[in-house]
Amino acid sequence: MSSTPLAARLQRRGLHYGWVVAAVTFCTMLTMSAALGLPGAMIQPLGREFGWSTDQVSSALALRFALFGLMGPFAAVLMERFGLRAVICTALAMVAGGMALSTQVTQLWHLVALWGVILGLGTGMTALVLGAVVANRWFVSRRGLVVGLLTASSATGQLAFLPIGAWMIEHWGWRSAIVPVVVGCALVAGLAFFLMRNRPADVGLRPFGEAADAPQAPASPAMPMTFATPFRVLREVAHSRTFWVLFGTFFICGLSTNGLVQTHFISLCGDNGMGAVPAASVLAMMGAFDLVGTIGSGWLSDRYDNRKLLFWYYGLRGLSLLWLPHSEFTFYGLGLFAMFYGLDWIATVPPTVKLAGAAFGPQKVGLVFGWIFAAHQIGAATAAWGAGLTRTLLLTYSPALYAAGAACLLAAAAVFLIRRPARPAAVAAPAVAVARRA
């Protein structure tokens, strides 16, 4: 395999192969984010061409979000049984196929099958659980930073694809905008096939930052991984207050981000006299701020109380959403919103992963976070369909924005129901020293 000699060459130059795996994972999650975000720019074009209402198109997008999240716990099982490379390549093929076939839709059920079912299952196989699994398998030190980097890929996906997609929709029609996503899936699948490996031991390495005399993690998990395993883990953690607080706050996280803003922002701006390309540019601005905010959140989550970080993230997001209907949708108003809202769009992920890992241990964190992430996407599905219904019935998105903002303020207060995690023994200095010697 090309990865083994490459890992040896990089190791001689002082670069751990885990960073290559993280880079491939970043590209995978970036492409999936583009596939998830692009349909939000197509709500109005589809309505004009086929006569579908906003809530009808939103029903397909809501199903996609729900399946995207519900696949999370089982994605961890698939990764364990079939390997990261096989899961990533299969998921990218499903997403590329679903997006390509959607150019031929003529009935609403076609859209539900392709964008709801196939796109939901495909993206769900490589959801944020993939980032959590890669970070926990390949990194001991810098784990929070890696989670932040991988989570930020979803913001970068918007930054790279959505403004281009909106421009293509405006000039060449909505079908043309699907081409970059399909091509991106094919390129990333090639990278994953040649470079992705399951664990550091596959290329003769230890996780980045692990001491040379530390007990080596077993190649197989402590518990047998079957499709019943996620339900057993859910039953084990169901008595934990920490789990339910993280579950509930992440439901609100999805309710207030990709389900609401990512899906309906361009349509919202259209209702207020702004074209699709400028609206997509504002989303790209949010993506740029979120890239900084989420990476910074990963850095902060390694150093500060993660509950306090979540309090500030949810609080600022809630205030931003409550203010949005009063922004008058001017350049200044939307720019201010993009900055405050964008900085903590997905910044909640690194502290949530860290709190889940501290409460339930590294062996279970992938499955536990899978269920927490399922709550995130159920919240996203609720907002995607609910905001569309609000727009159809009341001709405005304002009630959905106010409800999401209030829910974020509730989540900010709820995080302090989690007990402060015990501080681990100081192992940072030996880990850094080992990493430098490597």
Side-chain angles (χ1 to χ4, degrees):
M1 297 296 296
S2 58
S3 54
T4 303
L6 176 60
R9 288 197 297 269
L10 292 175
Q11 189 71 6
R12 287 195 294 270
R13 290 167 173 78
L15 182 64
H16 195 276
Y17 193 75
W19 295 109
V20 175
V21 173
V24 175
T25 305
F26 183 97
C27 292
T28 301
M29 296 173 69
L30 179 150
T31 306
M32 293 302 186
S33 171
L36 279 172
L38 186 60
M42 299 179 180
I43 293 176
Q44 292 188 351
L46 287 168
R48 287 192 295 267
E49 180 170 337
F50 298 106
W52 299 331
S53 65
T54 302
D55 64 306
Q56 286 178 315
V57 178
S58 298
S59 65
L61 306 187
L63 178 60
R64 172 200 62 178
F65 280 127
L67 291 176
F68 177 54
L70 291 172
M71 274 295 295
F74 306 98
V77 177
L78 291 173
M79 292 172 200
E80 192 64 51
R81 295 190 67 177
F82 300 106
L84 297 177
R85 180 175 60 183
V87 170
I88 289 172
C89 291
T90 301
L92 288 166
M94 290 177 65
V95 169
M99 293 295 286
L101 289 172
S102 68
T103 60
Q104 307 302 313
V105 299
T106 57
Q107 303 292 326
L108 182 62
W109 73 266
H110 297 164
L111 196 69
V112 172
L114 294 172
W115 283 2
V117 178
I118 294 179
L119 192 59
L121 294 175
T123 53
M125 291 169 65
T126 55
L128 292 178
V129 176
L130 173 64
V133 168
V134 168
N136 279 277
R137 285 186 184 180
W138 284 85
F139 294 87
V140 171
S141 64
R142 306 292 187 270
R143 186 175 289 167
L145 176 62
V146 171
V147 172
L149 284 166
L150 297 181
T151 304
S153 62
S154 58
T156 308
Q158 287 184 10
L159 183 65
F161 284 93
L162 196 53
I164 299 172
W167 185 89
M168 295 176 73
I169 291 169
E170 187 172 281
H171 289 82
W172 300 328
W174 65 270
R175 292 173 177 83
S176 66
I178 290 174
V179 174
V181 175
V182 175
V183 172
C185 287
L187 294 175
V188 175
L191 287 175
F193 182 82
F194 288 106
L195 299 177
M196 181 60 67
R197 299 302 295 272
N198 288 327
R199 290 179 171 81
D202 294 343
V203 290
L205 298 174
R206 286 178 172 270
F208 178 79
E210 184 179 78
D213 56 351
Q216 196 157 2
S220 58
M223 66 180 76
M225 296 292 282
T226 68
F227 288 104
T229 304
F231 296 105
R232 288 201 298 270
V233 171
L234 178 61
R235 187 169 59 249
E236 290 174 11
V237 302
H239 67 279
S240 169
R241 181 172 63 184
T242 296
F243 172 77
W244 289 114
V245 172
L246 294 177
F247 188 93
T249 54
F250 232 44
F251 175 92
I252 294 172
C253 184
L255 185 83
S256 57
T257 52
N258 50 354
L260 177 62
V261 174
Q262 186 179 38
T263 301
H264 292 285
F265 186 78
I266 292 177
S267 180
L268 168 67
C269 290
D271 289 347
N272 289 273
M274 177 176 286
V277 174
S281 299
V282 175
L283 277 176
M285 189 188 306
M286 293 181 203
F289 280 113
D290 184 67
L291 181 65
V292 175
T294 305
I295 294 173
S297 176
W299 184 86
L300 291 170
S301 69
D302 285 330
R303 291 162 174 80
Y304 299 102
D305 187 340
N306 288 275
R307 302 171 307 154
K308 294 179 180 178
L309 295 178
L310 288 177
F311 169 81
W312 284 107
Y313 298 157
Y314 283 119
L316 288 174
R317 184 188 301 170
L319 294 175
S320 299
L321 288 169
L322 292 173
W323 183 78
L324 179 58
H326 307 282
S327 67
E328 299 181 353
F329 292 84
T330 61
F331 177 79
Y332 172 78
L334 288 181
L336 192 64
F337 170 76
M339 179 177 67
F340 281 99
Y341 181 84
L343 281 172
D344 62 14
W345 185 330
I346 319 179
T348 54
V349 175
T352 301
V353 172
K354 294 277 287 187
L355 287 170
F360 306 109
Q363 293 295 330
K364 293 181 181 178
V365 67
L367 290 170
V368 173
F369 183 70
W371 285 113
I372 294 170
F373 180 70
H376 184 282
Q377 295 310 115
I378 294 171
T382 302
W385 179 77
L389 184 63
T390 299
R391 169 64 178 79
T392 298
L393 296 179
L394 304 177
L395 303 181
T396 178
Y397 283 108
S398 293
L401 295 171
Y402 289 137
C408 286
L409 297 181
L410 177 63
V415 295
F416 289 108
L417 294 173
I418 301 173
R419 293 185 180 89
R420 185 185 182 95
R423 185 178 295 274
V427 295
V432 171
V434 171
R436 288 175 178 169
R437 286 198 300 269

